[in-house]
Every structure is written in C-alpha cells, then in structure tokens.
Amino acid sequence: MHTAQKEARGSIGDVRGRQTALMVTRAEMRRHLRRGGMRGGIITAASLGGGLGLLMLLIDNAMDGESMLFPVIAVGSGAALAAFVLAVATVFRVGRDEQGQIALALTLVPDRRRLYLARAAGFSLVGAATCAAVAVVLCATALLLHAGEPEVRWSLLAIPLALCGGSLAVLFGFGLTSLVRRSSAGILLFIGVVVVLPLGFFAVGFSLPESIAPAAELLAMNTPLPHLAEAFDASSMPNPESSGTDILAGMTGLLAWGLLPTLAAWPIFNRGEAR
Amino acid sequence: MFIIDSLTKTYGGSTVLDDVSFCAPDGAITGFVGPNGAGKTTTMRIITGLTHATAGHVEVGGEPFPAAQRPARRLGVFLSAEGIPPSMTAHAYLDYACRTQGMPTSRVAQVLADVDLSWAAHHRVTSFSLGMRQRLGIGAATLTEPSHLILDEPANGLDPDGIRWFRDFVRASADSGVSILLSSHHMRELGAVADQVVMIDGGRILAHGSLQEFLAAAQAQHGEQQVVYLEVSDPDTARHALLAQGITVERQHHGLMAHGVPPERLAALVVESGVGLTHLAAQAQSLEDTYFTLLGASNGRN
C-alpha cells in the first residue's frame, strides 16, 4: 500500500492538511497554558506586575498626586515588571523543556526550523498576552480612578507597548536559555546580561578617562533592563514635553536583545542532539 | 518501509554506527536486537531525526522523516518512557501531540481508554509507574494511526495483560500494513511477534532476514546440530545405548537430550534397546538461542 494511502486510512479521517508553523505555535501556546506548562509563571508575573501597578495607582490616588502622568507610569511599570518576571519564568521553562520535551516535540515536528519558530512564537505570544492583560487591568483602574483627566488616557498606549515589549522580553529569555540549554546556566546568563553587564560597564566607565567614559555609560544604557524600562514607558509618548523617541529606542533595543540570542541559538538547536 | 542506507555515526573519534544498512518492510514487524551499546537507540534516534548521522541516508515511507508533510501520520515514535515530560499530565501530553498535527483532540480520550489510563488522565506523568509511562508512550506513538512505528523496549514494565495487549496490537497494526521497527531485549516476546530480525552489535549489522532465515542461517553458519529431547522408561539404559552409537547425549530433567541425530533415528535406536519411549520432541532453535550464538561468535571474532 502506498504511504499516502496508508496515511489517509484509518479512523482519523479528519486530520487537516500539512503541518504548519501556525498549527505548532497554537499547540505550544496551549501547552504553556495547561497544567505543567507556564501557568505558575503567568500567575506570578500577572500578580507581581498587576500588584505593583495597582499599588502605585492606589498610593497616587490616596496622596491626591498632582502629576497626571504618574498613573500612566504606574500602568507601564506594572506591565514591565510582568514582562521581566515572565522572561525569568521562560528561562526556567525552556531549560526544563530540554529534559524530554524537545525530543518529544521533534518526533511530532521533525522539521527543526518549524519547531524552533513555533517554540519562539509560542513563548512570545504567551508573554505578549499576559503583559497586555496586566496593562488592560491597570489601564481600566487608572481610567476609573482618574475619570475625565485627559493625560491619563495616555495609559491606553501602555497596552500595545505591553503587547510588543512583553513578547520581546520573553523572546530574550527564550533565546538566552536556548543558547545554553539548561535552566541553571540560563538564569546565570540572564543575571549576567541583565544585572552584571550594565554594572560592569558603569564600573569601567568610572575608571576611564572622562573623554571616553560616556561610551561605557552608553553601553550600559543599551543593556536589556534600561531598554525594557524605556519600551514600557507610555508616559514618554510624543507630547509637548517629550519627543517619544525613548519608546522607539527602548523597543528597538529590546527587539535586538530578543533576536540576537534567539538567532544565535538556532544553529545549536538545529545541529544539536535532542535530549 | 524504513530504508536505512549506509548509516554511520561518530562521536569524536568513536564510531558508534558503522555502515549500517537494512530495510523494514511494510506490513511486517522487524525485530531490532543487540546488546546494550550496540547502536540500536542511536539508529532509531537518527531515523526519527533526533540525532544527525555523520554519513548515510534514512527514508521513512519514501522520504526522510523531517520532510513528511503530516509527520505523526507517517511515523509514530516511542523511544523511552523516561523521555515523557514529567511535569505534563497524560491528557496534556496527548492533547499537545494532537494539536501539533491538526488533529481533533477527541482522539485523546479514546487513546487513554485504549491504554487503560483514563482514570489518570489529569495526573502528572511524574506520579506514574514505569508501566503506566510505557502505556502512555505507546498510546502517544499510535495516537495518529501512523503508517510506520518505531518502538524501543516497549514491553518494559508492562504486566502480563499489558504484554498480551501490546502483542495483539502490534500484530494487528502490521497486518493492516504498518511497518514496525521494534527493539527489545525480551527475545521470547520478540520471537513471538517478529516477522524479520535485524541484529546489531558494535555498530555493525550482524544478521538480517526473516525470522526463519535468521534462525536457520545462524544454525547453519555455526554448525549447530539438531537437538532432540526424549523421555523414556529407563533413562540409564537408553543413554548407554545411544552413547554406544557415538551419539552425544546428556541427562536433562526427567529425560535425555540428544544432539546431531534426527528424531526418527533416535526413536528407532531407543526402541531397539528395549526401552519404552514415552515422549520425543525436536528442539527448535529459539530467537534467544540464536541471538546468543551470534553474539558469542561476534565477540569471538573481535
């Protein structure tokens, strides 16, 4: 019997056509949302991010704050914290996936390019959705607390920013851990890049002649954490006091930090032994 | 059909597969045997794309497995129960498999029922016994009714009911046209289901053919003599009579084991000696016997 005929036989007549990256991405997202997936990380990220934002909004409301941009900052800060926590959760999840999940997935999705793309997209989309959900809740709260204040409407911009920034922050965690293929090494690399690297640049900057010290500072400001803060800061959208380029710079930086390790890890995933 | 053509795999300076070639036809169970470290799992991992070959070519249903448009309909894989992600539930594991293939997830409940794990559907795999993991792994491999199956030590940890179920299942699958590559250390189990056998040792194929060819060739190759078991009314007298004819004979259990003489001649000699013959049976060479014979010869050569 011809292989194609055999594949068409049996009780499973309604298998859709060929396997696609979109099909696998949806399966990956569903896996993350199930028990044993990223539920813990999502709940922690949403709780911490949402909690910080709500706390800032409530304190601002209680103190009758005069700056109408503070609620906007609160929404962005909450979403940014959620993105940061999700990036850490992704490091652990990707590392844990190396203990059998990758091998299992490759027997179902043997096209490694398709699987890698779907895995990266699956993590990123879950990150995007979680951060956006946090931003939506915080936005709604900010608008409720400050009804009628036009500046507070800027907080609505935090939602698309959270959508993009959340996905890129999680992609950064995915890429880093895909490079080293272990949670422990992934978290060390994450801390190294996010914390140690900028501190190192600042320290070097102090010991350099004054003429070239700004270069070290520039490098420190181009590490992931400053970009994360900039990318989520809806209060710096174009307005009479701001050109809005900080958000663009932050998002571009975050995009670079997300893509760089993810692309660098591709040959490792493509050529490596699946454990 | 699986086509494995001139497969070589080296790690550093060590060659774990050396020009391995064989075919596993459609509608047949191909037993893949060899001692630990012989290269069985590496071969299977290369077929499934988990490991890259240093040289050689593998086809599953006419093309390399990664090129399959509907991968899990082409090849169902069970390589290790330990490889099932422990943090997932049984249901989530099968659900993921269905979704990656664009299959309706209604099949999950059916497969869980087939492998008798419906009651544990939402338990994490980490809480499963080895036998439960084995059943789940086999269920996952067959979830999509693939045209090819690779099963590595599937009977490990299965209880007698599970083994019977598994034997019936692979037989029925092969009869419906599925090509099955089955690795096992349980020679008796394998001998009961395999249509053909591929034996590997030290990364090289030692023997390959239908089960009958495999047993006969090994017997002929190594000059093995026919063995006949007989029970008689007076074993000592019968033994002396046979020894007097130059026949190698030894006591075994309640009877005698004679080597190198056809059963009809043995029966005549025993009757001639005036001893009553109560039982006589030619001993068939088992897969297990053949396996150890070939392995011993291979080790002798090395």
Side-chain angles (χ1 to χ4, degrees), chain A residues 34-37, chain B residues 84-96 108 112 120-128 136:
Chain A
R34 280 187 165 275
R35 195 170 160 220
Chain B
I84 301 172
S87 61
M88 290 179 107
T89 65
H91 190 280
Y93 173 57
L94 297 180
D95 181 272
Y96 174 75
V108 172
L112 284 170
H122 297 287
H123 295 190
R124 284 181 195 264
V125 173
T126 191
S127 68
F128 282 18
L136 178 60

Side-chain angles (χ1 to χ4, degrees), chain A residues 28-274:
Chain A
E28 284 286 325
M29 287 181 67
R30 183 79 184 178
R31 174 173 77 91
H32 296 322
L33 298 176
R34 280 187 165 275
R35 195 170 160 220
M38 280 193 63
R39 269 191 196 176
I42 291 168
I43 291 169
T44 306
S47 304
L48 289 175
L52 174 73
L54 282 175
L55 190 68
M56 288 174 75
L57 288 171
L58 292 174
I59 288 172
D60 178 58
N61 195 48
M63 294 177 72
D64 204 11
E66 288 179 7
S67 169
M68 282 303 111
L69 283 179
F70 189 78
V72 183
I73 294 170
V75 174
S77 301
L81 179 62
F84 182 82
V85 174
L86 270 175
V88 174
T90 302
V91 169
F92 284 108
R93 182 71 252 179
V94 174
R96 210 200 303 177
D97 278 356
E98 291 287 347
Q99 298 165 359
Q101 173 65 30
I102 302 285
L104 158 73
L106 274 173
T107 62
L108 297 163
V109 190
D111 182 333
R112 291 190 180 218
R113 190 192 306 264
R114 184 183 300 150
L115 180 62
Y116 191 68
L117 186 66
R119 278 174 54 76
F123 278 109
S124 295
L125 289 171
V126 166
T130 307
C131 291
V134 169
V136 165
V137 171
L138 292 177
C139 260
T141 311
L143 291 171
L144 273 174
L145 292 174
H146 299 276
E149 301 289 349
E151 289 94 335
V152 179
R153 287 183 201 151
W154 282 112
S155 64
L156 285 170
L157 283 164
I159 297 169
L161 293 183
L163 207 61
C164 297
S167 67
L168 295 176
V170 167
L171 188 66
F172 170 63
F174 170 81
L176 277 190
T177 318
S178 298
L179 274 174
V180 290
R181 303 180 67 186
R182 275 193 170 78
S183 299
S184 51
I187 206 69
L188 284 176
L189 190 58
F190 186 88
I191 292 168
V193 173
V194 171
V195 181
V196 179
L197 194 63
L199 289 177
F201 282 137
F202 278 125
V204 169
F206 283 123
S207 61
L208 288 174
E210 215 168 281
S211 56
I212 52 171
E217 191 182 334
L218 185 70
L219 287 172
M221 293 311 291
N222 276 296
T223 53
L225 208 53
H227 284 311
L228 183 79
E230 286 173 338
F232 279 80
D233 187 8
S235 68
S236 65
M237 285 302 285
N239 61 58
E241 293 168 23
S242 167
S243 64
T245 53
D246 284 355
I247 291 177
L248 191 63
M251 210 57 89
T252 308
L254 213 49
L255 176 70
W257 277 107
L259 286 181
L260 199 74
T262 303
L263 292 175
W266 159 244
I268 295 169
F269 184 83
N270 189 34
R271 288 200 298 264
E273 293 263 332

Side-chain angles (χ1 to χ4, degrees), chain B residues 2-302:
Chain B
F2 291 97
I3 298 174
I4 287 79
D5 182 19
S6 308
L7 215 55
T8 298
K9 177 68 183 175
T10 56
Y11 288 103
S14 162
T15 301
V16 293
L17 290 181
D18 186 5
D19 199 26
V20 167
S21 297
F22 65 91
C23 294
D26 291 343
I29 300 169
T30 301
F32 194 30
V33 298
N36 288 336
K40 300 189 300 291
T41 301
T42 304
T43 304
M44 291 188 179
R45 285 178 61 87
I46 291 173
I47 295 170
T48 55
L50 298 180
T51 296
H52 295 292
T54 306
H57 179 71
V58 174
E59 284 186 9
V60 180
E63 60 187 345
F65 177 48
Q69 293 200 349
R70 295 184 294 178
R73 292 285 277 157
R74 175 69 53 83
L75 176 62
V77 181
F78 172 72
L79 288 184
S80 164
E82 299 304 319
I84 301 172
S87 61
M88 290 179 107
T89 65
H91 190 280
Y93 173 57
L94 297 180
D95 181 272
Y96 174 75
C98 277
R99 288 177 191 276
T100 58
Q101 310 303 313
M103 266 180 55
T105 53
S106 54
R107 175 98 174 115
V108 172
Q110 187 189 331
V111 168
L112 284 170
D114 287 348
V115 295
D116 198 20
L117 285 174
S118 298
W119 61 275
H122 297 287
H123 295 190
R124 284 181 195 264
V125 173
T126 191
S127 68
F128 282 18
S129 68
L130 176 62
M132 290 165 71
R133 287 183 198 217
Q134 293 284 129
R135 294 207 303 270
L136 178 60
I138 295 166
T142 60
L143 180 73
T144 49
E145 295 186 353
S147 57
H148 298 73
L149 270 173
I150 282 189
L151 305 166
D152 191 4
E153 300 291 350
N156 276 0
L158 291 184
D159 57 19
D161 279 354
I163 289 175
R164 176 181 287 184
W165 168 83
F166 173 73
R167 193 190 298 164
D168 293 346
F169 163 75
V170 288
R171 189 68 266 160
S173 298
D175 290 346
S176 70
V178 176
S179 175
I180 301 175
L181 186 60
L182 172 61
S183 156
S184 179
H185 283 129
H186 295 268
M187 294 297 153
R188 197 164 295 171
E189 267 314 306
L190 204 57
V193 294
D195 299 302
Q196 65 162 25
V197 178
V198 175
M199 184 169 173
I200 186 170
D201 185 34
R204 287 169 171 269
I205 298 295
L206 284 189
H208 176 209
S210 73
L211 187 60
Q212 291 72 25
E213 287 169 352
F214 184 76
L215 300 179
Q219 210 163 348
Q221 186 182 342
H222 300 284
E224 295 236 335
Q225 298 172 323
Q226 179 154 31
V227 180
V228 179
Y229 175 74
L230 59 160
E231 288 180 1
V232 292
S233 57
D234 182 352
D236 287 334
T237 306
R239 183 164 173 269
H240 285 118
L242 295 174
L243 285 171
Q245 296 291 323
I247 296 169
T248 307
V249 62
E250 64 207 37
R251 292 292 296 263
Q252 189 157 59
H253 303 300
H254 304 294
L256 301 168
M257 197 69 91
H259 298 260
V261 185
E264 56 273 21
R265 176 159 152 66
L266 266 181
L269 288 170
V270 169
V271 172
E272 276 173 23
S273 69
V275 175
L277 180 63
T278 55
H279 180 83
L280 183 140
Q283 301 295 292
Q285 175 90 345
S286 70
L287 179 60
E288 191 166 5
D289 299 331
T290 308
Y291 172 82
F292 284 113
T293 304
L294 286 172
L295 201 59
S298 167
N299 291 339
R301 278 197 299 273
N302 297 334

